[in-house]
Amino acid sequence: MSLYLKPFIFLYDSTLSLLLLLFNGWSLEHPAAAQMRLQAENSAAKSEWKQLQYVWLKTRTLVLLPIFKGCVVMCLVLSIIVFAESFYMNFVILIVKLFRRKPEKVYKWEAMQEDVEVGPGNYPVVLVQIPMFNEKEVFQLSIASVCSLLWPPSRLVVQVVDDSTDPAVREGVDIEIAKWQSKGINIRCERRDNRNGYKAGAMKEALTHSYIRQCDFVTVFDADFQPEPDYLIRTIPFLVHNPEVALVQARWIFVNANECLMTRMQEMSLNYHFKVEQESGSTRHAFFGFNGTAGVWRIAAIEEAGGWKSRTTVEDMDLAVRVGLHGWKFVYLNDLTVRNELPSKFKAYRFQQHRWSCGPANLFRKMTLEIILNKRVTVWKKFYVIYSFFFVRKVAVHVLTFFFYCIVVPTSVFFPEIYIPTWSTIYVPFLISIFHTMATPRSFYLVIIWILFENVMAMHRTKGTCIGLLEGGRVNEWVVTEKLGDALKSKLLSRVVQRKSYYERVNSKEVMVGIYILGCAIYGMVNGHTWLHFYLFLQATAFFVSGFGFVGT
């Protein structure tokens, strides 16, 4: 019997040996020694893990916590600064409304009257410029509106400053100009063989022609702007009767504000800019930034300040600051409106916001010393331009909105020992939001969506601000904001707005920030941050909606 069992016993022992080799390695050491070695390795691993934990705790305590605390303190200071500026501007507007301090009461204003003997000879000669670049959908509207202005034809010169490179657009502009010339309008087109300096270069060269010498004032309307017929009648008297006034600016209104949710958000932001920022600057300091269009300039003031310059992408603001530093006054007319179009594509809006944030920051960098050394204006006005106009509105607002509400507040879930005051996360943003929505009462119910969308756009504005301050690679990038005109309302929309593939619509920056905020929200919810994760989930959703291209037309 044992003879038959020996092969099976051999097989059993061989199998056990193979299994031991498989699980314990190709080692001939004694099992007890192997067990002791494993225990020693586990002890060493635990010791290394404890060392790593110790290093992490020290790094967190000595490095990360102080850095994060410093970021929180910086954001709290910026919150106070931004709130104080917003409160001050709205207080000025309240005084204006209560005491009805309209420009017609502050400055001399008398309607222009045609002299019986000399006819319209007592009217000043006004130049109206229409700068454009491949504006195929809107150039007819702007040319028609300008040529319909109520002003003696013999005292009006219309100049189309056309930098278009599209032959079809150039031909269409020529046809439209010929049509109005046949109706007795003094309109002409000026073109260059290059695009040096972009809009500023074109405007500067357009003012060098001999027939400009007879003109006293120049009005600028971008290609999508449609002024009312009485625009010149209401603005020119301020310049005629007040020799210290260099600029009269009208307010923008928007023909496509109801096109989509994104245009509604833009309307809320721009209404606050005009009704609060521009009017308060005009009331208290007779200074504000020229908006590049819908304004009338005294040509002598432009020449005194050195004319148009193309050193930044905000040539209009550059001109306004230089003219203001020569002691000239600006007048803002809230009651005079000019229709124009908002960008309805998210990509076009992003490019526009990059230019509008990068340009002012770069101009701030280049002009700070010039403003400080200026001797023509008071110290108070220099302080206003440097601190309020540039630092708070063009730098601090963008940095605070994105860095605090989209980076610091979400990251605070990882640092529960650092307390962020409730006034900075709830009360201050609530009051600032109320100040903004008061400029557009009809959109009050959209305030939550507006806050979330503004936080998303603050990312692009902060990036543009940093590029402008540091003069990065895209500091002089100029992309003309795409406008669609009547094409939005026509059946040809599909030809104008071509559908993009899913991957072309994705905006990676928004998606990455959304993922980070979502991770913070989940961590906060798991670790008991009961109120904060609700806001973080909403903000992450806003970034994802924008990131995956579900914004705009």
Side-chain angles (χ1 to χ4, degrees):
M1 184 71 176
S2 61
L3 185 65
Y4 293 105
L5 289 175
K6 281 183 179 180
F8 292 103
I9 293 171
F10 174 77
L11 233 100
Y12 175 74
D13 290 339
S14 301
T15 305
L16 283 177
S17 300
L18 286 171
L19 288 172
L20 284 170
L21 289 172
L22 180 65
F23 289 104
N24 293 328
W26 297 92
S27 175
L28 299 177
E29 67 179 327
H30 193 274
Q35 184 68 22
M36 291 177 64
R37 180 178 55 80
L38 288 174
Q39 289 177 355
E41 289 178 354
N42 289 335
S43 298
K46 289 180 180 178
S47 176
E48 289 179 2
W49 174 246
K50 288 182 179 179
Q51 288 179 355
L52 287 174
Q53 284 184 316
Y54 176 78
V55 171
W56 162 247
L57 288 174
K58 282 294 183 181
T59 303
R60 186 179 186 278
T61 304
L62 299 177
V63 179
L64 298 181
L65 270 174
I67 291 176
F68 186 73
K69 187 174 182 179
C71 293
V72 171
V73 172
M74 180 191 73
C75 291
L76 294 179
V77 172
L78 288 179
S79 295
I80 295 172
I81 290 173
V82 171
F83 174 75
E85 180 70 13
S86 181
F87 181 83
Y88 166 74
M89 290 189 296
N90 280 273
F91 180 75
V92 171
I93 297 304
L94 178 63
I95 297 300
V96 169
K97 301 301 181 186
L98 288 177
F99 293 94
R100 299 181 180 180
R101 286 177 53 86
K102 291 188 175 183
E104 291 82 354
K105 295 181 179 179
V106 177
Y107 297 92
K108 183 179 180 181
W109 190 93
E110 294 180 3
M112 301 296 299
Q113 300 291 335
E114 186 171 318
D115 192 282
V116 178
E117 297 180 357
V118 298
N122 63 323
Y123 279 74
V125 180
V126 179
L127 171 68
V128 182
Q129 291 182 315
I130 311 175
M132 61 177 63
F133 175 74
N134 294 337
E135 310 277 1
K136 61 181 179 179
E137 303 296 341
V138 294
F139 71 84
Q140 289 179 319
L141 295 174
S142 60
I143 292 177
S145 298
V146 167
C147 291
S148 301
L149 290 170
L150 298 176
W151 201 255
S154 61
R155 315 297 288 175
L156 182 68
V157 180
V158 179
Q159 185 186 63
V160 179
V161 185
D162 186 20
D163 263 7
S164 299
T165 55
D166 187 341
V169 175
R170 292 165 73 105
E171 182 181 358
V173 170
D174 291 337
I175 293 173
E176 188 69 15
I177 288 175
K179 182 181 77 174
W180 287 100
Q181 285 176 338
S182 65
K183 296 181 180 181
I185 301 297
N186 183 7
I187 180 172
R188 59 188 74 196
C189 182
E190 301 296 346
R191 292 193 174 101
R192 305 183 295 166
D193 56 3
N194 60 74
R195 290 197 67 212
N196 295 338
Y198 302 109
K199 179 181 175 180
M203 300 289 280
K204 184 175 183 178
E205 186 171 319
L207 288 176
T208 60
H209 296 281
S210 58
Y211 61 86
I212 303 298
R213 297 172 186 170
Q214 63 177 324
C215 302
D216 302 299
F217 311 112
V218 56
T219 307
V220 183
F221 293 110
D222 282 351
D224 59 307
F225 278 71
Q226 306 165 46
E228 297 297 332
D230 64 346
Y231 177 88
L232 294 178
I233 293 176
R234 296 179 62 181
T235 55
I236 295 298
F238 284 102
L239 296 162
V240 171
H241 301 299
N242 302 277
E244 74 280 10
V245 173
L247 169 67
V248 181
Q249 173 74 56
R251 177 165 62 91
W252 298 1
I253 58 174
F254 314 102
V255 296
N256 65 329
N258 295 323
E259 192 63 41
C260 61
L261 197 57
M262 189 184 81
T263 53
R264 290 290 296 274
M265 302 299 103
Q266 293 179 66
E267 181 191 37
M268 294 174 68
S269 299
L270 287 172
N271 278 350
Y272 178 81
H273 166 70
F274 281 100
K275 294 182 178 181
V276 178
E277 293 180 351
Q278 297 292 75
E279 187 161 12
S280 63
S282 175
T283 302
R284 288 291 296 119
H285 308 280
F287 173 83
F288 50 84
F290 174 46
N291 294 110
T293 178
V296 188
W297 280 98
R298 188 184 301 274
I299 294 179
I302 295 178
E303 294 174 346
E304 182 183 358
W308 294 91
K309 291 186 178 181
S310 57
R311 55 182 173 175
T312 68
T313 56
V314 283
E315 71 293 323
D316 43 13
M317 185 181 295
D318 188 345
L319 178 63
V321 173
R322 286 185 284 111
V323 172
L325 291 177
H326 278 75
W328 293 92
K329 293 183 178 181
F330 301 166
V331 177
Y332 169 75
L333 303 180
N334 190 63
D335 295 334
L336 180 61
T337 59
V338 179
R339 293 167 294 161
N340 76 104
E341 181 182 329
L342 293 165
S344 58
K345 289 185 179 181
F346 187 51
K347 183 178 180 180
Y349 184 50
R350 286 174 60 186
F351 278 122
Q352 182 198 68
Q353 293 304 296
H354 172 82
R355 189 174 79 247
W356 285 6
S357 56
C358 179
N362 189 234
L363 184 64
F364 181 35
R365 171 193 171 114
K366 291 180 176 179
M367 291 203 68
T368 301
L369 186 60
E370 182 181 341
I371 296 170
I372 293 173
L373 298 178
N374 183 276
K375 297 181 180 180
R376 294 173 179 262
V377 296
T378 63
V379 175
W380 172 243
K381 187 168 185 177
K382 288 192 285 185
F383 174 79
Y384 169 76
V385 175
I386 292 175
Y387 174 76
S388 297
F389 181 75
F390 273 121
F391 174 70
V392 179
R393 301 183 206 169
K394 313 303 180 188
V395 177
V397 169
H398 305 323
V399 173
L400 172 70
T401 305
F402 175 67
F403 187 66
F404 187 43
Y405 299 110
C406 300
I407 300 296
V408 171
V409 170
T411 306
S412 66
V413 299
F414 303 114
F415 299 95
E417 57 266 65
I418 294 183
Y419 173 70
I420 300 179
T422 305
W423 61 262
S424 65
T425 56
I426 296 179
Y427 302 129
V428 165
F430 172 76
L431 290 173
I432 292 176
S433 301
I434 293 298
F435 290 154
H436 275 78
T437 52
M438 286 171 60
T440 314
R442 78 185 187 101
S443 298
F444 186 81
Y445 68 98
L446 296 173
V447 63
I448 301 298
I449 300 175
W450 176 80
I451 292 171
L452 299 174
F453 182 71
E454 280 293 292
N455 289 347
V456 173
M457 294 310 302
M459 178 182 68
H460 299 286
R461 294 170 184 146
T462 302
K463 183 184 70 172
T465 299
C466 293
I467 291 174
L469 290 174
L470 302 176
E471 292 203 327
R474 293 178 59 194
V475 67
N476 290 318
E477 181 183 67
W478 181 284
V479 178
V480 177
T481 306
E482 183 180 3
K483 303 296 175 60
L484 301 179
D486 288 340
L488 276 171
K489 303 175 184 178
S490 71
K491 297 179 181 179
L492 299 177
L493 179 61
S494 59
R495 299 181 185 178
V496 178
V497 185
Q498 298 180 353
R499 290 188 177 275
K500 295 182 178 180
S501 68
Y502 177 78
Y503 294 104
E504 288 178 326
R505 284 166 38 198
V506 173
N507 304 300
S508 58
K509 297 182 183 68
E510 285 87 344
V511 173
M512 288 189 292
V513 175
I515 291 173
Y516 176 73
I517 296 177
L518 179 62
C520 294
I522 295 173
Y523 183 89
M525 182 176 64
V526 171
N527 289 274
H529 295 276
T530 53
W531 69 269
L532 183 58
H533 67 268
F534 288 112
Y535 158 71
L536 296 182
F537 277 123
L538 288 174
Q539 191 60 69
T541 302
F543 272 98
F544 285 134
V545 169
S546 303
F548 290 112
F550 296 107
V551 176
T553 54

